[in-house]
Amino acid sequence: MPDLNPKLFNVLIDAYRPCWQMTTCKQAVWSPERGYIPRGFLGATKNLSDVKVVMVFSEPGHPHSGEEYDPNQSPERLLKSGLQHVHRSFRCGRDPFHRNVRWFLSQLFPNLDFDEQLEHAWLTEGRLCSIKEETGTTKDPRCAKHYLSQQLKMLPKATVVGFGGKAQYYLRQAGVEHEKAYALSPPGANHKPARPSWERAIAKVRALI
C-alpha cells in the first residue's frame, strides 16, 4: 500500500494518543479492540502539490465485522493499521460508499489505476472518529476546527468537495470554501439528485485540473 504523505501523517497522529478531545467529545468512540479508532482517510501518497481534489465525508461508520486493532500498538502503528484497512476496503469496493468513491475517482482520473488516482486525491472525514449514531444528525465542530483545517491548509490548490450536509457543516466550521454534493453513502446516495450532484462536482474539479 502506498505511504501517506508525512506532513499529513504528522497532523493526524495526535488523534491516536488518543486524541486530547476524547474526554469531552461525548459522541466519539475510542475502542481499538472493537475497531473504533480514528480512520476513513486515504490518499495524498506523493507530493501534496499533486493533489487535485479533496473529498470530505462526515465521519467513519461503525467498524466492519472482524475489524479490530491492538490497543497496545503505538499511535504510529494504529494509524498505519487503520490506513491499511481503509485501503483494502476501497480497493475491493466493500460497501456502496466505497464503490461510489471509486466511481467518482474514475470519472476524474479515468486513465489511472486506483493507487495512481490516490496520488492526486485526498479522502478525509470532517470528524475522524466513529460516533454512536452513525446516520444521525449529531455534529461537533471541534474535530474539524483542529484536524480538518490543518489538513486543508496543506492543500490550498486542490478543489474541496463536501459530500453531504454534515461534511459541508464541518467544512464551514473549518473556514474552507467547497463544492457541495450529496453524500456518497446511503441514505443520501440513494436519492435521485445524488448522481447529478456528483457529476456537477466532477465537472468543477475537471475545470480546475
Side-chain angles (χ1 to χ4, degrees), residues 39-195:
R39 65 205 190 288
F41 48 84
L42 190 68
T45 53
K46 290 197 174 177
N47 297 322
L48 295 181
S49 59
D50 292 334
V51 175
K52 306 301 181 186
V53 62
V54 178
M55 302 173 67
V56 181
F57 319 117
S58 55
E59 67 270 328
H62 294 313
H64 292 118
S65 176
E67 184 181 356
E68 58 185 47
Y69 305 95
D70 182 353
N72 296 315
Q73 286 185 325
S74 67
E76 291 78 10
R77 187 63 252 170
L78 280 174
L79 190 161
K80 289 181 179 179
S81 295
L83 199 64
Q84 289 168 352
H85 179 81
V86 172
H87 184 266
R88 286 194 300 269
S89 296
F90 277 114
R91 179 168 283 284
C92 73
R94 182 161 190 166
D95 297 330
F97 165 70
H98 299 107
R99 295 192 288 274
N100 286 335
V101 171
R102 290 289 305 272
W103 174 85
F104 191 95
L105 289 173
S106 293
Q107 304 310 301
L108 284 177
F109 311 111
N111 298 319
L112 304 180
D113 66 28
F114 180 53
D115 284 342
E116 291 171 334
Q117 291 169 353
L118 292 179
E119 297 175 17
H120 305 288
W122 175 235
L123 285 52
T124 192
E125 308 280 356
R127 190 171 181 171
L128 295 175
C129 289
S130 297
I131 61 174
K132 297 173 184 177
E133 299 179 26
E134 183 175 3
T135 59
T137 59
T138 301
K139 300 186 288 286
D140 188 315
R142 287 172 293 181
C143 192
K145 288 181 177 180
H146 183 71
Y147 293 106
L148 183 61
S149 61
Q150 288 188 71
Q151 296 169 52
L152 297 182
K153 284 177 183 176
M154 297 181 182
L155 301 163
K157 295 183 178 180
T159 303
V160 179
V161 184
F163 292 92
K166 282 199 286 186
Q168 292 156 21
Y169 166 82
Y170 291 133
L171 284 163
R172 291 195 299 273
Q173 295 302 308
V176 176
E177 293 186 7
H178 57 280
E179 302 296 330
K180 297 179 181 179
Y182 270 64
L184 287 159
S185 57
N190 296 334
H191 294 167
K192 189 174 181 179
R195 180 63 66 94

Side-chain angles (χ1 to χ4, degrees), residues 5-55:
N5 183 280
K7 291 183 178 179
L8 286 169
F9 189 99
N10 288 337
V11 166
L12 295 164
I13 192 63
D14 282 345
Y16 294 82
R17 302 194 190 280
C19 176
W20 56 276
Q21 297 183 100
M22 191 61 64
T23 55
T24 58
C25 190
K26 300 302 183 182
Q27 279 288 320
V29 183
W30 170 271
S31 182
E33 63 277 11
R34 296 190 294 131
Y36 287 99
I37 61 172
R39 65 205 190 288
F41 48 84
L42 190 68
T45 53
K46 290 197 174 177
N47 297 322
L48 295 181
S49 59
D50 292 334
V51 175
K52 306 301 181 186
V53 62
V54 178
M55 302 173 67

